């Protein structure tokens, strides 16, 4: 081969003697062939692909820039040089002997190459990023290969060669990453401007660059969904196979059953049905054991992200290879220092090579990390998008399997887990690879004695495995049950202590697990620190002891130590990755169950055009669960287009189920429903989004101002808009918290009316509004003359007064239609309906007459102000009004984290703890430095005892001290970690306790202005950070800090001059200004993350509404944009980390370079051992530097959690629960209430709601409170409970001023049945009596009085029946009855009914009223009524208007008086108190 080459260039190809001299050089032939062909070969293999854009691109070229012209001119010049070179060769050839072939081939190759370069430059104009990575690598290679011939030329003739220009094309673009040049991409230079921006001012979300198109959630999710569908289909097929197999095994356990096939099938069917009847409590079959499609999630992920995975594998391979080059170079360097004869250039070469290896290694590593983290956020995005989409399509049975909290948990915890796993997934193959390579190289150094070291490692693995298993056992239980419904109920019933106790029990359990987990962790950290040291001890000891002639010299020892250091990382990572895999497995199962669950099957809802029918039920039978009891049975109905149909029946007769079946929310058992046209749906409990009032009504439709005004007017919202601080631009809190029940219901109705659908399904929308408003709404919206007169309306109602005006009435009994027809027909039939009416309807005749006369009056009343206000609204320019913004923007703390936060945390840990932990680390590193110095002295023995026997006692001393130092190092560490585990647990306990007790004591107004998501976020995410992340960060930071100090110390000991270099290098280290950017990005991440969960929670609670309107797409889009905002802050954060890492590793590489260079310079004066020590420490420093900055920023970022928790422990509390002044025992004994000029406002900046109320309520008096929505009725009750504190005046109960006693003394002695019945997740018993104060007999008695006894007795678990989240598994009426039972159980002297019977049909209402009359006869009862009938038998009636009492007297007197009350009574069809037995 070399002979052929020598002939080709006409000179010697290779001669080693060229290098064995001080002015070493390479042979000319080598320079002309290898050094020229390597870059050209690289270029010609890869470059032609760069021309592809020219061939296939339809895109238009970008414009010609100055830079492009310069590049083309330079390339043309290069081509001309090559042409000139070729011409020169021909000229010379004619003059003398023939020239060697190489003189012709090289210029020709170059001409072709430069032509190709010109073409590539042109082709890149079709791309966004004009820079070409391949060209860049080619230039760099040419440059490196050109240096050697260049210096030969310089030496020979000082002729001038030419350099080649590097360029970076930069032009402005929203995201510079898209157009960043190759060099800028690999060093993340394009990101620098952002870092500086973040340093100058705190970053806002607007400052962050948009994501690239292919990184947007929509793009990622599209690919993922396609792959997911195919994978799930396969998995479902497998599931069917498994089920069949199981059935077969069940069917014939032994083939000789002597049963016919049919019989065994029957038995099987029975067997299948039985488990379903098991207690709902242990969730029979629907629990964790129910099978689901498995194993598809990982496949989908791999299929979706294969490109990313492959690329990162490539980078990781290069990096892993280079890791092993450094120890070999170190070996050569030590040999160089020890060898007197060696040439100086060799040393310099090794130093430069060390530097280059470190540099390339770091570039590859950062690209690899960048790819992994990108993968992580993409995986998270696709999972969250998938979960969200699933939530929109899942069937109600699947939905029941998991609470909203659990589903949000899938999003937050499990998707996060996948994100973390993606970062390290490549360690699964890379770690074993690195381990194997290390062992191979070590064997080369120390021979078989390495086996001793490896044996130690292998022994440590099972120990670690055991620890991981233990830790896992602890880990599984750690699910936060803290979807704490923090609501007014706790306050009204003074139940906070009971809740606090429950939460604290759970928390204590968590902390116990946590501290055990930390102990295990510290033991495994201990094992790990011991590991490298024990390994080297074992290997060196065995090596020295096996054979007299084996002497440990510097080359062997330090190369081995470098290799052992390489080994540490993969050995440490493997178990971590494995345990992370285990956790991901749990998450995988959860996600697969959820995402693979049943979808909503709406096949029973047909949309065929049938003439003369808008909705047709054909023998429709539907149930809530596939094999549950049918909720509606054999319904056959035909509803004509444009008709108004009322659905009536008792509580639990299936009215809401009928509606749900129409919406396709139920499981079809047989029959079908045919619906023609679009639907609008008004649920029984209004679902309001956290948006402005206007957005709630428009609900994604275009704004048509005229129609909008018409709708608002018809829905009686104009007067409310005047009361709201910013009219229809007022922001409505989560779940509509700042609207009254009636307002919510009217907004919900307005949304339906505005949507202009064909069919309106109204689930009792009139229950929550006052009687006269209900009348108004019926007339203007629902009735025969209303806005919707042409539409088909299906109205579920409890109110009888409207029935005469509807076209058709459907009467439901136990889920079946008992009769239907017009009002008159049903009366004539004398069926169930007629009896129902006779019971309640003695006044119907009068009422229907009054309806016609009375309405003129109301409309006048309602509309007097509205026209004026509309005019006024048009004149006034919009301005931000006080109180318009309800939900404050989440405070993002900006700037540096206050030092006081660290101190606060350390205080919580305990100062002594903190001090001793720090001392432990100092001890550890002192021992570490000692170990290394001792080793360096030991290796120098090889020089000292050259050619003589090594004394045995010297040998034993060396091994002994080395061992002792190592052990002490590990013990110090164990001491420090165990202490820090205890301290951290203490801190966690203290902080959680402070947060919880404070949140339970804050006033109600705080919950109005703070979304629950934000509060839950404090309890879940931030407390988790304080529990687990902060202690880890603190420990790692201390450890890194000490490690760096000790390394720099060792290098300076070896080469004192190094101390001078530390100073300029430490300036470099001032990349800390990056920390402010990083921290801000992390904060933005957590702030932009809460909306994802809030929006999700909101979606899940409004699912039926979203589906009914068919707005799934819009909500998906909204979720995608919310996600993208979060994604871009996370993406930016990832890049900022890589930006920093690359720069830091460069500093690390410089440290290596200088320590090697100084060793080469001071060659004569140094021992091999000390050089080995210095350079091997330096090789370690890069990683540690990186970790230190990472940990500092991590710590600063995580300490924010302390800040956020602290912020909520400082929220102003309401009055103390118990004060010095206790009320007398048995207070209130009489139950007299006095209001003395009482004023109140909701928040300091708002108007008064009650404007000075003065009245007396005598003992055992029954008082009704009436008034229009927003008149201050509910505020009155809030004041009695002191949910609102007085702005003036006072309230006395039995002569005691309620403002002077503790809140609990007050609240425990009053009872309320609230407007929205609130139930907690837990047993029925817990809901009635959370403190276990009453006996079972008392509880049953209460249930009997609340007319729930029979219902509860029929439940399989009776009192232990599990109430699902928010009481979803009880009807609204039943929830209301549970609240009644609560009140009966408490039996206080004062009872307040806040429109308690709004959602109940008349029969139940009657029962409730009777109960209240009998049970609370000797109590003072305040009733806030929307239906006037309920209060006509009161002793007195209080009429409120705009926060003042306008009338206050007995109902009889007020009816005579012709005031506000008599008008309201007329609307409700009441003429005198006799007609009111309703």
């Amino acid at each position: 081969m070399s002979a052929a080459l020598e002939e080709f260039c006409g000179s010697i190809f290779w001669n080693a003697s060229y290098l064995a001299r001080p002015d070493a050089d390479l042979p000319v032939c080598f320079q002309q062939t290898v050094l020229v062909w390597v870059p050209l070969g690289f270029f010609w293999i890869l470059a032609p692909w760069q021309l592809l854009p020219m061939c296939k691109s339809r895109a238009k070229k970008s414009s010609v820039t100055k830079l492009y012209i310069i590049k083309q001119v330079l390339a043309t010049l290069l081509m001309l040089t090559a042409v000139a070179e070729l011409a020169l060769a021909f000229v010379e050839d004619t003059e003398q002997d023939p020239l060697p072939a190489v003189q012709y081939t090289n210029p020709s190759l170059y001409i072709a190459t430069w032509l190709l370069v010109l073409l590539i430059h042109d082709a890149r104009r079709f791309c966004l990023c004009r820079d070409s990575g391949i060209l860049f690598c080619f230039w760099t290679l040419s440059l490196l290969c050109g240096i050697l011939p260049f210096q030969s030329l310089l030496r020979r003739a000082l002729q001038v060669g030419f350099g080649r220009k590097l360029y970076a094309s930069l032009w402005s673009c929203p995201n510079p990453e898209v157009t960043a040049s190759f060099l800028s991409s690999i060093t993340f230079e394009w990101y620098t401007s952002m870092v500086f921006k973040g340093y100058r001012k705190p970053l806002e979300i607007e400052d962050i660059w948009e994501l690239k198109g292919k990184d947007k959630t929509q793009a990622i999710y599209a690919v993922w969904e396609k792959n997911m569908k195919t994978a799930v289909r396969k998995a479902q097929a497998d599931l069917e196979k498994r089920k069949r197999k199981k059935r077969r095994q069940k069917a014939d356990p032994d083939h000789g059953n002597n049963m016919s096939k049919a019989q065994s099938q029957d038995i099987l069917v029975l067997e299948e049905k039985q488990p379903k009847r098991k207690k709902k409590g242990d969730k029979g079959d629907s629990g964790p054991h129910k099978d689901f499609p498995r194993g598809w999630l990982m496949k989908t992920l791999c299929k979706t992200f294969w490109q990313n995975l492959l690329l990162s594998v490539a980078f990781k391979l290069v990096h892993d290879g280079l890791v092993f080059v450094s120890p070999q170079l170190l070996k050569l360097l030590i040999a160089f220092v020890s060898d007197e004869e060696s040439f100086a250039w060799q040393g310099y070469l090794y130093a430069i090579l060390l530097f280059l290896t470190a540099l390339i290694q770091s570039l590859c590593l950062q690209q690899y990390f960048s790819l992994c983290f990108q993968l992580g956020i993409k995986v998270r995005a696709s999972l969250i998008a998938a979960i969200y989409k699933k939530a929109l399509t899942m069937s109600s049975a699947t939905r029941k399997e998991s609470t909203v909290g659990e589903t949000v948990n899938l999003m937050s915890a499990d998707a996060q887990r996948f994100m973390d796993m993606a970062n390290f997934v490549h360690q699964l193959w890379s770690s074993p690879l690195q381990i194997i390579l290390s062992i191979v190289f070590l064997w080369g150094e120390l021979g078989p004695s390495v086996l001793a070291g490896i044996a130690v490692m292998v022994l440590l693995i099972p120990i670690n495995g055991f620890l991981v298993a233990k830790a896992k056992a602890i880990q599984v239980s750690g699910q936060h049950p803290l979807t704490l419904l923090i609501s007014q109920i706790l306050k009204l019933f003074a139940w906070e202590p009971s809740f606090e106790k429950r939460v604290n029990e759970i928390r204590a359990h968590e902390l116990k697990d946590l501290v055990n987990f930390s102990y295990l962790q510290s033991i495994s950290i201990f094992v790990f620190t011991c590991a490298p040291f024990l390994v080297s001890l074992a290997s060196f000891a065995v090596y020295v002891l096996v054979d007299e002639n084996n002497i440990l010299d510097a080359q062997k020892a330090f190369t081995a130590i470098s290799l052992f250091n390489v080994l540490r990382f993969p050995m440490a990572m493997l178990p971590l990755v494995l345990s992370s895999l285990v956790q991901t497995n749990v998450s995988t199962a959860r996600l697969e169950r959820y995402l693979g669950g049943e979808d909503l099957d709406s096949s029973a809802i047909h949309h065929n055009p049938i003439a003369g029918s808008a909705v047709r039920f054909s023998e429709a039978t539907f149930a809530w669960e596939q094999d549950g009891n049918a909720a509606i049975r054999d319904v056959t109905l035909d509803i004509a287009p444009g008709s108004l149909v009322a659905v009536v029946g008792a509580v639990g007769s299936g009215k809401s189920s009928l509606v749900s079946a129409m919406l396709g929310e139920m499981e079809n058992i047989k029959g079908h429903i045919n619906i023609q046209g679009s639907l609008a749906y008004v649920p029984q409990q209004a679902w309001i989004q956290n948006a402005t009032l206007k957005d709630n009504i428009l609900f994604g439709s275009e704004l048509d101002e005229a129609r909008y005004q018409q709708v608002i007017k018809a829905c009686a919202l104009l007067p409310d808009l005047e009361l709201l601080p910013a009219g229809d631009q007022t922001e409505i809190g989560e779940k509509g918290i700042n609207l009254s029940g009636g307002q919510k219901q009217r907004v919900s109705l307005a949304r339906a009316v505005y949507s202009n659908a064909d069919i309106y399904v109204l689930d009792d929308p009139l229950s929550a509004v006052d009687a006269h408003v209900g009348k108004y709404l019926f007339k203007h919206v629902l009735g025969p003359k209303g806005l919707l007169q042409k539409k088909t309306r299906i109205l579920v109602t409890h109110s009888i007064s409207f029935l005469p005006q509807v076209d058709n009435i459907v009467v439901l009994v136990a889920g079946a239609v008992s009769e239907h027809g017009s009002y008159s027909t049903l009366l004539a039939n004398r069926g169930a309906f007629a009896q129902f009416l006779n019971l309640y309807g003695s006044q119907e005749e009068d009422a229907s007459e009054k309806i016609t006369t009375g309405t003129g009056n109301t409309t006048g009343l309602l509309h007097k102000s509205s026209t004026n206000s509309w005019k006024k609204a048009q004149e006034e320019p919009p301005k931000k009004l006080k109180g318009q913004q309800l939900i404050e923007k989440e405070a993002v703390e900006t700037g540096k984290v206050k030092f006081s936060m660290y101190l606060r945390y350390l205080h919580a840990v305990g100062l002594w703890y903190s001090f001793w932990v720090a001392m432990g680390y100092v001890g550890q590193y002192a021992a570490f430095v000692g170990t290394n110095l001792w080793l360096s002295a030991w290796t120098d023995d090889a020089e000292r005892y050259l050619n003589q026997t090594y004394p045995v006692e010297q040998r034993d001393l060396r091994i002994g001290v080395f061992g002792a130092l190592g052990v002490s190092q590990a013990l110090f560490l164990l001491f420090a970690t165990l202490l820090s585990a205890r301290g951290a647990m203490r801190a966690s306990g203290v902080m959680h306790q402070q947060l919880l007790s404070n949140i339970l004591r804050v006033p109600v107004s705080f919950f109005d202005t703070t979304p629950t998501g934000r509060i839950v976020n404090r309890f879940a995410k931030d407390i988790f950070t304080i529990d687990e992340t902060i202690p880890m960060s603190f420990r790692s930071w201390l450890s890194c800090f000490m490690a760096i100090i000790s390394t720099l110390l060792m290098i300076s000991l070896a080469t004192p001059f190094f101390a001078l270099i530390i100073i300029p290098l430490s300036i470099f280290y001032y990349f800390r200004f990056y920390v402010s950017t990083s921290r801000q990005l992390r904060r933005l991440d957590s702030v932009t993350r809460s909306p994802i969960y809030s929006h999700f929670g909101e979606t899940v609670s409004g699912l039926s509404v979203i589906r009914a309107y068919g707005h799934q797409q819009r909500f998906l889009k909204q979720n995608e944009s919310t996600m993208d905002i979060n994604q871009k802050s996370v993406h930016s954060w990832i890049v900022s980390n890589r930006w920093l890492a690359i720069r830091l590793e460069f500093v690390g590489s410089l440290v290596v370079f200088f320590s090697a260079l100084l060793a080469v310079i001071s060659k004569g004066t140094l021992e091999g051992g000390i050089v080995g020590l210095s350079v091997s420490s330096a090789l370690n420093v890069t990683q540690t530097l990186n970790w230190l900055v990472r940990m500092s920023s991590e710590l600063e970022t995580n300490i924010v959690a302390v800040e956020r928790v602290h912020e909520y422990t400082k929220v102003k509390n309401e009055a103390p629960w118990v004060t010095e002044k206790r009320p007398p025992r048995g207070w209130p004994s009489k139950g007299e209430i006095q209001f003395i000029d009482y004023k109140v406002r909701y928040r300091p900046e708002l108007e008064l709601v009650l404007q000075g109320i003065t009245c007396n309520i005598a003992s055992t008096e029954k008082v009704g409170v009436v008034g229009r929505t927003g008149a201050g009725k509910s505020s009155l009750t809030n004041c009695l409970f002191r949910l609102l504190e007085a702005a003036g005046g006072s309230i006395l109960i039995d002569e005691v001023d309620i403002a002077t006693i503790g809140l609990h003394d007050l609240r425990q002695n009053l009872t309320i049945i609230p407007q929205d019945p609130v139930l907690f997740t837990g047993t029925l018993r817990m809901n009635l009596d959370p403190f276990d104060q009453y006996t079972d007999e008392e509880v049953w008695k209460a249930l009997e009085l609340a007319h729930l006894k029979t219902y509860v007795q029929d439940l399989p678990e009776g009192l232990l029946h599990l109430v699902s989240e928010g009481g979803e598994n009880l009807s609204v009426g039943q929830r209301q009855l549970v609240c009644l039972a609560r009140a009966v159980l408490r039996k206080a002297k004062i009872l307040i009914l806040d429109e308690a019977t709004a959602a109940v049909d008349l029969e139940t209402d009657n029962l409730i009223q009777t109960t209240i009359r009998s049970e609370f006869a000797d109590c003072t009862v305040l009733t806030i009524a929307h239906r006037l009938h309920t209060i006509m038998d009161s002793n007195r009636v209080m009429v409120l208007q705009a926060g003042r009492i306008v009338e206050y007297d007995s109902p009889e007197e007020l009816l005579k008086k012709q005031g506000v009350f008599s008008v309201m009574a007329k609307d409700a069809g009441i003429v005198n108190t006799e007609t009111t037995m309703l």
Side-chain angles (χ1 to χ4, degrees), residues 175 209-213 215-217 377 1124 1127-1128 1131:
N175 183 350
W209 293 311
E210 286 304 321
L211 292 169
K212 291 191 290 199
D215 292 343
K216 289 231 161 87
T217 309
I377 61 173
D1124 280 337
Q1127 290 284 90
K1128 75 178 187 184
H1131 177 254

Side-chain angles (χ1 to χ4, degrees), residues 732-753:
I732 311 296
E734 253 184 291
K735 302 190 183 125
I737 199 151
N738 48 345
L739 295 179
S740 69
Q743 286 168 325
K744 281 190 236 181
Q745 202 61 51
R746 293 204 299 279
V747 171
S748 179
L749 183 63
R751 171 193 302 157
V753 178

Side-chain angles (χ1 to χ4, degrees), residues 544 941 945 948-958:
V544 179
D941 288 351
Y945 295 99
Q948 41 179 307
T949 45
Y950 192 49
V952 178
E953 58 279 9
Q954 176 78 355
R955 181 187 70 190
D956 297 345
L957 174 74
R958 291 290 188 203

